[in-house]
Every structure is written in C-alpha cells, then in structure tokens.
Amino acid sequence: MTSAIEALCSESQRAVRWHPPSYDIRVETLPIPEIEHPDDAIVKIQLAGLCGSDLHMYRGTARLTEPCIMGHEFIGEVVALGASFHSSSTGRPHLYSTLHVGDKVVSPFTVSCGECHFCRVGFTCRCVESCLFGTPLTPGGQAQYVRVRRAGGTLYSLQDIPHGSLLADSSLLLLCDILPTGVFAAFQALSHAKTLPFTTRQPYPLSASPPQIGDVSFLPFLEEDKSLTMAVIGLGPVGVCTCIALLDMLVTRKLKFNVIAIDPNEARRAKMASIYSIIGGNQQFGEFQVADTSDVKELVAHLTKGVGCNAVLEVVGNTSALRLAYELVRPFGCINSVGVHSDQVVPYKGVELYDKNVSLDFGRCPVRAMFPMALELLLKRQDVLGSVGGETSLVEKIASFDDAVQIYDDFDKGKCGKVLFDPFK
C-alpha cells in the first residue's frame, strides 16, 4: 500500500455496530480496515443501505453471539487494492486486471470468488467462499470504510456503465441487493416449467421440450388459458422491486396477465399503487391491483374462477406468508420464495404439496450474476428508482449515522421505508 493509504489505515472510522443478543445498535469509533490478502480491496463508502434482512440480525433471530458492523448494501470508491490487482493478471476475473484505486464500485451482499464451480455457472450466491456482509466474519458496509474479500470476483465496477451519469447514486445502491433480488424473483417465476405453457402458448410438456413423435391430442388454448395470474406477497422495498421487474417482463413479452400485490400494511399498498400509476402507462396487456391479506383469497378466486395463481412470489420470509402463498397457488403452480427465513418449519405437509403438484423454489439471489439484468431495469425505471423522498420513491431518505439507532427502531416497527446512510454526513 502507498504511504497515503498506510496513513489512512492508522486512523479511525465511525460505524453502525450491533451487539447481542438483540435490539442493540450503537454508533462506534473503530479502526479502519486494512488489506489482509492480495485479493482484498478497501472501499470508502459513499452510501450504505438499511435492508429488511438486517432486521434478522437486529431482532436476534440470527442468533449471533458477537458484535458486528451492520449492512450488506454499499457503494463507494476504491482506496486500496491488494497485490493481485495488476494489468498483467490473466486467467482470473477481469477486475483483477482492470480495477484501479479511485474507481467507483457497487458490491453484492455476499462475497463471491468468481472462480469456483458455482461462480462459473452463475450461482454466485453459493460460491464456496460465500460470506454475507454485515456479520462478525465479514464486517458490513454501514461504516466509513469496508474491506472486500475476493474483490475481483465480488465487486462490480461502475466506470464503464452505459449512460452511467444518468443514474442517481441512491439508485445505484439498489443494485447491491433489493433490485437484483426482485428481478431474480420475477425471472425465476416466469422461467419455471409450470409457467412456460402460458408464456409459450404451448401445452405442457411441449412448452419446454422439442417436438415429440405421435399425437398428443391437445385442444387449442381458450383465451383464459393464455393469461397468467401472479401474486407478490410483501410490498416492502424488495416486494416493490419484484413488482416493477415482473410488470416490465410481462409487458416486454406482451403477455396477458393479472398481477396482485399483497400486503397488510395500508401505507405500503398505497405506495405500490402510486408507483404503478407511473410505470403502468398505457399498456394493454394486463391488470394490476393491490390487496390486503384479509381479502386476497376472494379476489384471486374471482379473477381465476376458483383456479388460483400460476405463481406466487413470496418476498416476506415468514411462515404466514408461505401459508398464504400455498392457499393462493393453483394446482400445478409454483411458489418462489426470496424472503429470508429463520429456522421455523415450512408450513406444509408433503401430502399437501403432492396433491396440488406445487413446486417450491427457495433461496438467496445470485446478485453478482443478476447485475446486468438489474442494471438494465435501473436505467429504464429511473422515474421511480432514481428519486428520494417522494410519494413514489423507493428510497425514503438519506440519513446520518447519528440517526441510526432511531431509524433501526422505526424500520423494525414499520414506521419508515427504505433508508440509506451517508457515513460522512
């Protein structure tokens, strides 16, 4: 490291730190992290996000016993690089040869090496070296500086983004987690074998296979067979991103649809309805409506003549949401869950899933692999993703660390939406 960086690392920083067992957030003065491995980078944080997943730590349901710096969403500027970063690097992720001090970067919420089997095939969230930022092992981004392990495989450089100057920094932060996760949820649902008959207009299994020999004897599709009914449970920030991504995919593909966005919180439903008033435009392909959990079963039954939803996207991460998803999904439908779950038992019996031919798809978004798709949507939807503090803004405000304790309490109680921290404010 240069002498300037060595001097920097001898100083201290402010950070938002959680203490066990639960509900204990403190803003503390801590050492600035240093390069520990040749693949490391040190990033000076410009913005850090507060995410619904942070509440698992905050509430103590993650059952950690050591204090840790919070936050797995951050963008910033590279201020130090390990020895692996040089122009002659070959056979490794390209950032090892192209990333420089001074470059602006965004990070996924997990470390990914970019070199193992899972990274090579695109399942980056299950990298053999995967670690979640905001844990004792991998301190998070709600700080003034963060050490990024395996930085050449983890970080995404913002230097060469087409039209990057048009993107608000607050919207770039959404690339760390919630926007790719929303895109992932929508992509998974629309790519599932059980929804393909409705996107290809071919009966199962022809919808997902080459032409077959012999007479299958399917009658032609009726109009009701050509429409997708999909539900999104949970209208927090990830749920809103899921709705935006799903609607964009449906309209782009010119598919007939009914989408129902569900949340018990009236303010969240109102925000989603306001956002749709902007993004819905004059599209002629389908209908979108918001619903309370108390009356959504009747609504779905009415829209589908009692059949149910083709797919339900669960974005909450609790058993009541999973149970509602089962009650809304039709036979031969799928439930896609991207909500972060605790160790509670999944609320289904095997016989229930068998008797409805329901497919379950659970798990973490491979954010590093989803960046290009998410970035395309971010560029397209700056009208709602690029603003801060408005009626239709996904980001509610940008706050100082001085307000972190109160903001965590408010966020936990549903009194505020998506909040970003400016560590130097």
Side-chain angles (χ1 to χ4, degrees):
M1 293 190 296
T2 67
S3 58
I5 298 301
E6 289 171 349
L8 175 69
C9 291
S10 68
E11 299 175 0
S12 58
Q13 65 164 341
R14 298 180 77 212
V16 177
R17 203 171 187 218
W18 173 86
H19 287 258
S22 61
Y23 299 102
D24 187 356
I25 289 290
R26 308 176 196 177
V27 179
E28 299 180 340
T29 299
L30 300 167
I32 291 176
E34 302 182 22
I35 297 291
E36 299 178 18
H37 185 279
D39 289 354
D40 286 353
I42 305 299
V43 176
K44 181 179 180 181
I45 303 299
Q46 294 175 338
L47 289 174
L50 174 59
C51 177
S53 301
D54 291 325
L55 294 179
H56 290 278
M57 178 82 70
Y58 180 63
R59 294 167 177 166
T61 55
R63 300 181 180 177
L64 297 180
T65 58
E66 300 176 45
C68 66
I69 297 174
M70 294 291 287
H72 55 262
E73 301 175 334
F74 57 89
I75 63 170
E77 176 188 344
V78 176
V79 294
L81 290 169
S84 296
F85 292 85
H86 51 83
S87 59
S88 58
S89 175
T90 58
R92 303 198 70 194
H94 75 277
L95 279 189
Y96 284 111
S97 63
T98 61
L99 191 66
H100 300 94
V101 169
D103 285 353
K104 190 173 183 179
V105 292
V106 60
S107 177
F109 59 82
T110 57
V111 169
S112 53
C113 71
E115 298 173 295
C116 69
H117 162 74
F118 293 102
C119 288
R120 291 195 304 270
V121 300
F123 304 152
T124 53
C125 61
R126 295 304 165 195
C127 171
V128 296
E129 298 192 38
S130 179
C131 297
L132 177 67
F133 285 101
T135 61
L137 181 63
T138 313
Q142 290 176 17
Q144 292 177 318
Y145 296 87
V146 65
R147 171 184 168 238
V148 179
R149 299 168 55 194
R150 298 295 188 190
T154 300
L155 294 175
Y156 189 88
S157 175
L158 299 171
Q159 297 304 112
D160 301 319
I161 291 180
H163 312 294
S165 61
L166 302 177
L167 297 174
D169 278 355
S170 59
S171 70
L172 290 170
L173 191 284
L174 306 180
L175 289 173
C176 301
D177 181 352
I178 66 173
L179 186 58
T181 297
V183 173
F184 173 66
F187 176 76
Q188 291 278 94
L190 287 176
S191 302
H192 199 283
K194 290 179 177 177
T195 56
L196 288 182
F198 305 90
T199 62
T200 65
R201 308 291 169 80
Q202 292 289 323
Y204 185 90
L206 301 181
S207 53
S209 66
Q212 298 175 351
I213 299 173
D215 178 17
V216 186
S217 300
F218 289 114
L219 292 175
F221 276 25
L222 302 178
E223 283 304 308
E224 65 191 65
D225 302 327
K226 300 176 183 178
S227 180
L228 277 164
T229 299
M230 307 182 77
V232 178
I233 302 177
L235 296 178
V238 179
V240 171
C241 289
T242 301
C243 289
I244 294 171
L246 180 61
L247 288 165
D248 181 74
M249 292 179 190
L250 290 166
V251 172
T252 299
R253 301 181 193 189
K254 299 182 179 180
L255 298 171
K256 294 183 63 178
F257 65 85
N258 274 298
V259 172
I260 306 102
I262 307 160
D263 201 289
N265 185 301
E266 183 178 359
R268 287 182 169 184
R269 296 197 303 271
K271 179 180 278 288
M272 188 66 246
S274 296
I275 288 173
Y276 181 72
S277 70
I278 293 176
I279 68 174
N282 297 316
Q283 61 86 15
Q284 304 296 317
F285 302 104
E287 300 293 333
F288 176 86
Q289 49 198 307
V290 297
D292 194 344
T293 51
S294 62
D295 54 22
V296 69
K297 295 178 196 176
E298 292 76 11
L299 175 60
V300 168
H302 171 72
L303 291 173
T304 65
K305 299 181 181 179
V307 175
C309 295
N310 301 90
V312 182
L313 288 63
E314 189 276 318
V315 197
V316 181
N318 65 39
T319 54
S320 61
L322 286 175
R323 188 67 211 179
L324 177 59
Y326 178 84
E327 292 166 357
L328 296 180
V329 76
R330 68 177 60 188
F332 239 84
C334 57
I335 296 171
N336 297 80
S337 175
V338 297
V340 179
H341 291 273
S342 66
D343 58 0
Q344 290 184 301
V345 175
V346 175
Y348 317 124
K349 297 178 181 178
V351 67
E352 292 180 286
L353 300 174
Y354 182 88
D355 284 349
K356 279 182 86 170
N357 277 79
V358 173
S359 294
L360 300 181
D361 200 336
F362 276 64
R364 176 180 290 169
C365 170
V367 170
R368 188 61 182 77
M370 298 300 296
F371 267 144
M373 290 179 68
L375 180 59
E376 182 179 350
L377 184 61
L378 187 67
L379 285 162
K380 186 185 295 187
R381 291 264 67 115
Q382 281 290 292
D383 48 1
V384 292
L385 299 176
S387 61
V388 176
E391 180 185 359
T392 58
S393 302
L394 189 57
V395 176
E396 187 169 304
K397 61 182 176 180
I398 299 175
S400 163
F401 281 170
D402 294 337
D403 302 318
V405 174
Q406 185 61 53
I407 286 171
Y408 264 88
D409 183 65
D410 288 346
F411 192 54
D412 176 56
K413 296 174 179 175
K415 294 180 180 179
C416 68
K418 186 71 178 177
V419 176
L420 310 185
F421 291 112
D422 179 344
F424 294 92
K425 188 173 181 178

